[in-house]
Amino acid sequence: MSVMEPAEQAQENAAPVEEAPAAVPEPEPTPPSIADGVERSLDPRSVTLARLGGWIFAGVVFLVDSGALAIVLAQEEVPVWVKALVGLGWGSVTLALSWVAQRWPPIEHRHASYKVDGRGIEIRRGVVWRSVVNVPRSRVQHTDVSQGPLERRFGLGTLVIYTAGTDHARVNLSGLDHGTALKIRDHLLPGEDEDAV
């Protein structure tokens, strides 16, 4: 008679282990449609992009104004009070452009939104003068998504909608994530069963 180790004896007496059935993977949820009628803000990266564009513009104006200031200050026949006024104007323009470059983009971002539903797209913009533009899908002739070099760097795009009619024949919506702009573009294109004007 052979002597069994306790571990072997326990293994022999154990009930056979049943293998668990393979888990059926749950189907991935379908992503929500872009045309859900929810009002959305523009992509937050558009604030950084607008600031960068503002600082580039302010830098160019600063260089031009500095050159003009240097020319005025170098003139001996110009009275001192004129030089002081030109210097004050240069400082005011520099401060104003710096404020606009840094502080205006977040304010503008808070007042810009869009909503896409089955009927079309609604775009809201404006801080002081506000506008609401509704573009029905039936009026859309074609759409484009464009990206400049800075937009491409930030992963953003501009949706361009061309419509029938004279008012708002071309509607731009910049500050969108590039993928979102492509989804909106595809949604706004007329389907096979629809007639575009």
Side-chain angles (χ1 to χ4, degrees), residues 140-145 159-162 184-186 188-189:
V140 174
Q141 290 186 328
H142 68 280
T143 58
D144 290 328
V145 175
L159 176 69
V160 184
I161 306 166
Y162 298 92
I184 296 172
R185 179 198 67 186
D186 293 343
L188 291 177
L189 292 175

Side-chain angles (χ1 to χ4, degrees), residues 30-196:
T30 56
S33 170
I34 193 69
D36 56 6
V38 174
E39 189 169 342
R40 292 182 169 86
S41 295
L42 300 177
D43 194 290
R45 294 173 292 181
S46 65
V47 173
T48 306
L49 177 63
R51 280 182 171 159
L52 180 61
W55 281 112
I56 290 171
F57 177 75
V60 170
V61 172
F62 174 79
L63 290 175
V64 171
D65 284 352
S66 296
L69 178 64
I71 291 170
V72 169
L73 293 178
Q75 301 297 320
E76 293 179 7
E77 63 273 359
V78 176
V80 173
W81 66 272
V82 172
K83 291 180 181 181
L85 281 178
V86 171
L88 183 63
W90 173 84
S92 299
V93 167
T94 301
L95 286 175
L97 286 176
S98 298
W99 185 88
V100 168
Q102 186 65 28
R103 302 293 294 162
W104 187 255
I107 295 169
E108 192 174 38
H109 182 265
R110 281 195 302 270
H111 292 90
S113 63
Y114 66 95
K115 177 171 56 174
V116 182
D117 57 21
R119 295 183 306 255
I121 185 169
E122 177 182 277
I123 302 169
R124 295 177 177 267
R125 288 187 270 225
V127 177
V128 179
W129 290 277
R130 297 187 179 167
S131 69
V132 179
V133 177
N134 284 298
V135 181
R137 287 179 72 190
S138 62
R139 304 278 306 209
V140 174
Q141 290 186 328
H142 68 280
T143 58
D144 290 328
V145 175
S146 65
Q147 276 187 311
L150 291 176
E151 285 179 312
R152 196 166 35 255
R153 167 74 173 89
F154 286 94
L156 299 173
T158 298
L159 176 69
V160 184
I161 306 166
Y162 298 92
T163 64
T166 55
D167 288 342
H168 304 294
R170 176 184 164 141
V171 179
N172 294 337
L173 180 57
S174 57
L176 294 172
D177 174 75
H178 187 253
T180 302
L182 292 174
K183 287 179 187 175
I184 296 172
R185 179 198 67 186
D186 293 343
H187 169 72
L188 291 177
L189 292 175
E192 294 176 2
D193 56 341
E194 299 174 39
D195 283 334

